[in-house]
Amino acid sequence: SQQGEEDPQALSIQEGENATMNCSYKTSINNLQWYRQNSGRGLVHLILIRSNEREKHSGRLRVTLDTSKKSSSLLITASRAADTASYFCATVTGANSKLTFGKGITLSVRP
Amino acid sequence: DTGVSQNPRHKITKRGQNVTFRCDPISEHNRLYWYRQTLGQGPEFLTYFQNEAQLEKSRLLSDRFSAERPKGSFSTLEIQRTEQGDSAMYLCASSTLRFRTGQVLTYEQYFGPGTRLTVT
């Protein structure tokens, strides 16, 4: 079963614009992670935010977490054509640390 | 290359045949996970190991599936009597689990490139 629901399902923007992707989940979590997947590099970890954190930054990435609303957002600033990929949020709910993924968001960045 | 590796990268097999995939995790990682991903979906958890112990199996893992991690290093995933519904990308990931007083710290998972299985 998939816990995360990303929104929108697909996003197309111009290079240089910002991209915002949202994720909602259903149960309490230990942490939430964002991954990127493209055919060239497989599934790559982007950023992890723990349940007691509200915001984290990594380079051009900013992720927020609102545990009261059970939602997270990923902001990619100054997008590049190389950011074109599928993006997944994944939650960890127990000590087993298995990831429960959403269906993903397809991001297209036009040069 | 010190990342997670998987072999083979592609496997085409006929229905009813057995297949085995291998995953070599990052050497110092004590946890190893298997996921399955079908087209247009996110990966779905199959099973995981902590060192050599298999600690959890998803209900997706029917009795035709078996996974091992002898000696807590590489892992194999075998599918017996394959069915067309088994066609998918099989992903392996590894991570580290650490303990700190009063806390269990889990870290990001590093994924291999996957094995794409096609059952004809």
Side-chain angles (χ1 to χ4, degrees):
Chain A
S1 64
Q2 304 200 301
Q3 149 131 282
E5 294 276 345
E6 293 97 339
D7 169 60
Q9 289 187 327
L11 182 61
S12 181
I13 59 174
Q14 198 73 35
E15 201 166 30
E17 294 180 338
N18 295 342
T20 299
M21 290 168 269
N22 303 301
C23 168
S24 60
Y25 56 91
K26 297 173 186 171
T27 62
S28 296
I29 61 171
N30 289 345
N31 65 68
L32 184 144
Q33 302 178 34
W34 285 89
Y35 285 81
R36 179 181 66 213
Q37 186 177 43
N38 57 34
S39 58
R41 291 196 60 198
L43 202 63
V44 175
H45 178 267
L46 295 178
I47 196 164
L48 179 155
I49 186 165
R50 301 191 190 281
S51 59
N52 59 355
E53 297 174 317
R54 291 297 166 258
E55 185 172 316
K56 281 188 84 169
H57 297 256
S58 177
R60 294 185 295 115
L61 305 179
R62 171 180 170 256
V63 65
T64 62
L65 180 65
D66 187 336
T67 53
S68 67
K69 295 181 179 177
K70 292 186 170 58
S71 67
S72 173
S73 67
L74 174 68
L75 169 68
I76 303 175
T77 59
S79 63
R80 305 166 182 168
D83 295 327
T84 295
S86 294
Y87 290 80
F88 295 90
C89 73
T91 55
V92 172
T93 57
N96 56 26
S97 64
K98 70 181 182 185
L99 294 167
T100 303
F101 286 84
K103 292 185 178 181
I105 299 170
T106 301
L107 173 66
S108 297
V109 181
R110 303 185 301 274
Chain B
D1 186 346
T2 57
V4 178
S5 62
Q6 291 187 248
N7 288 288
R9 295 289 304 276
H10 303 274
K11 180 70 178 178
I12 300 174
T13 191
K14 292 185 177 179
R15 190 177 57 186
Q17 297 294 304
N18 299 343
V19 294
T20 300
F21 311 140
R22 176 177 170 128
C23 170
D24 286 90
I26 294 171
S27 60
E28 63 267 26
H29 284 183
N30 51 20
R31 283 203 166 175
L32 185 149
Y33 303 80
W34 285 98
Y35 295 84
R36 181 172 69 187
Q37 185 177 23
T38 54
L39 201 61
Q41 302 292 317
E44 292 180 293
F45 169 80
L46 292 179
T47 188
Y48 88 101
F49 294 82
Q50 182 164 314
N51 300 312
E52 67 276 8
Q54 186 175 19
L55 297 186
E56 185 174 339
K57 294 192 291 186
S58 163
R59 56 184 169 78
L60 293 175
L61 216 64
S62 75
D63 56 7
R64 296 184 297 105
F65 287 71
S66 63
E68 295 181 340
R69 193 184 182 196
K71 303 178 184 177
S73 55
F74 71 92
S75 176
T76 58
L77 177 67
E78 181 184 16
I79 309 174
Q80 296 182 327
R81 305 181 303 280
T82 52
E83 302 172 356
Q84 287 185 322
D86 297 331
S87 294
M89 177 75 85
Y90 289 84
L91 297 166
C92 174
S94 69
S95 74
T96 296
L97 176 74
R98 296 203 180 107
F99 297 92
R100 195 165 71 186
T101 305
Q103 280 187 304
V104 174
L105 299 177
T106 60
Y107 296 84
E108 61 267 29
Q109 295 182 20
Y110 292 84
F111 282 80
T115 294
R116 181 169 296 283
L117 173 67
T118 302
V119 182
T120 61

